[in-house]
Amino acid sequence: MNCPQCLVVILPTDRFCEECGTPLVADAQPMNGIKVCGKCGSIDIDGDGYCVSCGFRNRDVAQDRFAVERSPYLAGVCDRGLKHHRNEDFLALEAIASPAAQILVVCDGVSSSQTPELASQTVAQTTCEFLGDRLTRSDGQGQNNAEVMQQAIAAALKAVSAIPYKAGANVDPPSTTLVAAIVQEREATIGWLGDSRAYWIAADASRQLTVDDSWLNDVVASGKMSAVQALQSPHAHAITSWLGADVSDNAKPSILNFPIPSEGYLLLCTDGLWNYVPEASQIFALMQQAPSHEAAIISHYLVDFARSQGGHDNITVAVLYFT
């Protein structure tokens, strides 16, 4: 690929030309159901989003907010929020009929990395597809879901590491957090890296299931600082684990098996939600005000709440409701 202005060689993932500064990405604007190039107005846009007429790569504004609904019990919403110029989160869900299982995957692209929106989408889709394939082929026989989760995340790491990027640039290679869950026979197997979270939300036992991979948690666990002291640091919420080409060999996912104890919700979300309601009890109180127990309505309700609080980050919520 070449810059449409100065013709210097560029990567497909570049957002601007480093040689002349020309922006390389525009928003594809829908007109009568047809995508129109955000720069020149042409309708000749190829499958990768590039305008054949002017060479601009068009961003799909449909990704600013999208919903996934697999059943009244399993749904999610991914939203750009109000402050970011693009949505770097991604969401993937699947419901398998035989053997009966549900898959939830939520990713938050690392903003300091190159093309974080591609990283989150690649990891979410790869993880969900791998889990779905393995669960379907196993037919429920002899399946160790913790091992399958580890294998799925390893496959996602390989996929995100294959995204083209400029080595040696002053930004990191494409990177993302991940939280994923397999649910079978009322037992959830949860895997994560980073600070996207899983919660169990119920009347008598709401709690956070994951532990953030963060500088704050590491320094408090080491005894070097109290939580109050650590929170004063600008590094407090820096993540210490993620998926990307630059991860160290010891960056392994945390895995948790959680038996579903009662009626309630398994909730996966990015920090675009939990920054406003970090405690499980706060999320429970908020969900009690939703107009319905259905997963889709709960998901929209939580995302809209985060937007009403300022929407300072991308927001993703995935919900599985147990009766």
Side-chain angles (χ1 to χ4, degrees):
M1 295 294 298
N2 298 90
C3 171
Q5 184 68 31
C6 70
L7 301 181
V8 72
V9 175
I10 58 173
L11 288 175
T13 52
D14 285 347
R15 294 189 293 274
F16 63 90
C17 175
E18 293 190 355
E19 184 69 23
C20 68
T22 297
L24 302 172
V25 182
D27 289 347
Q29 302 297 328
M31 184 178 295
N32 297 324
I34 300 174
K35 291 181 181 178
V36 176
C37 176
K39 180 164 191 284
C40 73
S42 171
I43 63 171
D44 197 0
I45 301 175
D46 69 18
D48 293 323
Y50 288 96
C51 176
V52 175
S53 297
C54 72
F56 265 61
R57 178 163 58 91
N58 285 264
R59 186 178 67 90
D60 188 355
V61 294
Q63 295 298 102
D64 282 356
R65 182 177 178 124
F66 65 93
V68 180
E69 183 176 358
R70 298 303 183 203
S71 76
Y73 305 98
L74 176 62
V77 176
C78 184
D79 188 279
R80 180 173 61 90
L82 299 176
K83 302 297 182 181
H84 282 215
H85 68 280
R86 67 173 179 262
N87 191 358
E88 298 170 358
D89 284 4
F90 206 80
L91 163 72
L93 304 174
E94 196 55 73
I96 298 172
S98 180
Q102 293 82 33
I103 300 167
L104 303 83
V105 187
V106 164
C107 291
D108 182 354
V110 178
S111 293
S112 61
S113 71
Q114 299 177 49
T115 58
E117 70 280 10
L118 293 181
S120 61
Q121 181 174 355
T122 298
V123 166
Q125 292 178 334
T126 301
T127 304
C128 191
E129 289 169 6
F130 186 100
L131 293 173
D133 179 66
R134 285 295 303 272
L135 292 173
T136 301
R137 287 193 290 112
S138 74
D139 198 28
Q141 301 300 316
Q143 186 90 324
N144 184 322
N145 282 348
E147 290 182 2
V148 173
M149 180 65 75
Q150 289 178 328
Q151 293 165 2
I153 295 174
L157 173 58
K158 183 177 180 180
V160 74
S161 298
I163 297 174
Y165 69 95
K166 290 185 177 179
N170 291 325
V171 287
D172 299 324
S175 305
T176 184
T177 72
L178 164 78
V179 60
I182 307 167
V183 181
Q184 277 188 302
E185 298 180 354
R186 296 187 72 92
E187 178 161 295
T189 301
I190 302 166
W192 73 94
L193 297 102
D195 63 355
S196 293
R197 293 181 176 180
Y199 291 88
W200 172 247
I201 305 297
D204 56 349
S206 293
R207 64 188 181 101
Q208 183 180 332
L209 300 175
T210 54
V211 177
D212 297 345
D213 295 316
S214 67
W215 179 89
L216 183 149
N217 283 342
D218 285 357
V219 75
V220 171
S222 71
K224 295 177 181 178
M225 289 187 183
S226 68
V228 173
Q229 291 172 323
L231 279 169
Q232 306 306 309
S233 170
H235 306 296
H237 296 295
I239 60 173
T240 56
S241 191
W242 59 89
L243 286 170
D246 60 341
V247 300
S248 60
D249 291 338
N250 62 357
K252 304 296 183 183
S254 300
I255 306 288
L256 169 72
N257 288 317
F258 176 68
I260 305 301
S262 63
E263 178 180 356
Y265 298 90
L266 179 64
L267 169 70
L268 274 57
C269 66
T270 60
D271 58 352
L273 173 67
W274 68 251
N275 272 330
Y276 297 112
V277 279
E279 301 299 327
S281 59
Q282 296 173 310
I283 298 175
F284 174 75
L286 183 61
M287 291 169 70
Q288 290 296 102
Q289 303 173 41
S292 169
H293 292 299
E294 287 192 9
I297 292 175
I298 291 286
S299 300
H300 282 282
Y301 185 82
L302 292 176
V303 167
D304 289 343
F305 165 78
R307 287 173 61 90
S308 75
Q309 300 303 298
H312 287 88
D313 203 348
N314 307 144
I315 312 148
T316 303
V317 171
V319 173
L320 178 59
Y321 176 45
F322 295 87
T323 58

